[in-house]
Amino acid sequence: MEVVIMFKASQMIYNALRQHDGLKVFTEETNSTSRVWLQFGIKNGGSYRIQFISTDNDCDVAVRIFDLISVDPQKVGKILVVINGLNCKYRYAKFTLTKDNNINVEYDFPVSGKHPEESALEMVIRLNKLVDDAYPELMHAMWS
């Protein structure tokens, strides 16, 4: 049986986030990635996960919310207009529409950063606020 070890940045982020009361922090490791994730509910919607993903022992961590919304193919045009507006509004995060018509939210920690754990809680707070603000706009485009 092969032992999979959590990458350095993931371990630092996990240790930092689990110190905060009220946050349930989880980990997941494979041979190529280690992930730290938290799950949150959406008001009048489902839920989403904020994932901190490391692929090596460097500090360039990818922060992702996968599949925030699944888009009806007939609504792609309306959704793209909203996504473009959101990408102008939020400078630190990027909304993307996948080839499977799912909306992802992406942020990348810089490679030169030495302590991504110092910004992890701030990213959780900012991304929660972003979802709270953006979700109604996205859903309005889906249902109008």
Side-chain angles (χ1 to χ4, degrees), residues 86-105:
L86 292 170
N87 282 336
C88 291
K89 184 177 180 180
Y90 298 101
R91 61 189 168 117
Y92 58 88
K94 176 174 59 171
F95 287 81
T96 62
L97 182 66
T98 70
K99 66 180 181 204
D100 297 325
N101 290 335
N102 293 314
I103 295 176
N104 294 343
V105 182

Side-chain angles (χ1 to χ4, degrees), residues 64-84 86-87 93-106 138 141-142:
R64 300 289 186 266
I65 298 173
F66 294 111
D67 304 333
L68 178 63
I69 294 175
S70 183
V71 178
D72 179 333
Q74 296 178 344
K75 300 291 183 167
V76 166
K78 286 184 175 187
I79 287 292
L80 286 174
V81 171
V82 174
I83 287 174
N84 286 338
L86 292 170
N87 282 336
K94 176 174 59 171
F95 287 81
T96 62
L97 182 66
T98 70
K99 66 180 181 204
D100 297 325
N101 290 335
N102 293 314
I103 295 176
N104 294 343
V105 182
E106 304 176 355
L138 293 164
M142 283 279 291

Side-chain angles (χ1 to χ4, degrees), residues 100-142:
D100 297 325
N101 290 335
N102 293 314
I103 295 176
N104 294 343
V105 182
E106 304 176 355
Y107 172 81
D108 293 309
F109 280 94
V111 175
S112 61
K114 300 289 186 226
H115 299 283
E117 76 279 10
E118 292 175 354
S119 300
L121 181 62
E122 179 182 359
M123 287 312 306
V124 169
I125 293 167
R126 285 181 179 258
L127 288 173
N128 269 295
K129 172 94 171 92
L130 178 147
V131 170
D132 286 347
D133 292 346
Y135 187 81
E137 287 184 54
L138 293 164
M139 294 311 293
H140 184 266
M142 283 279 291

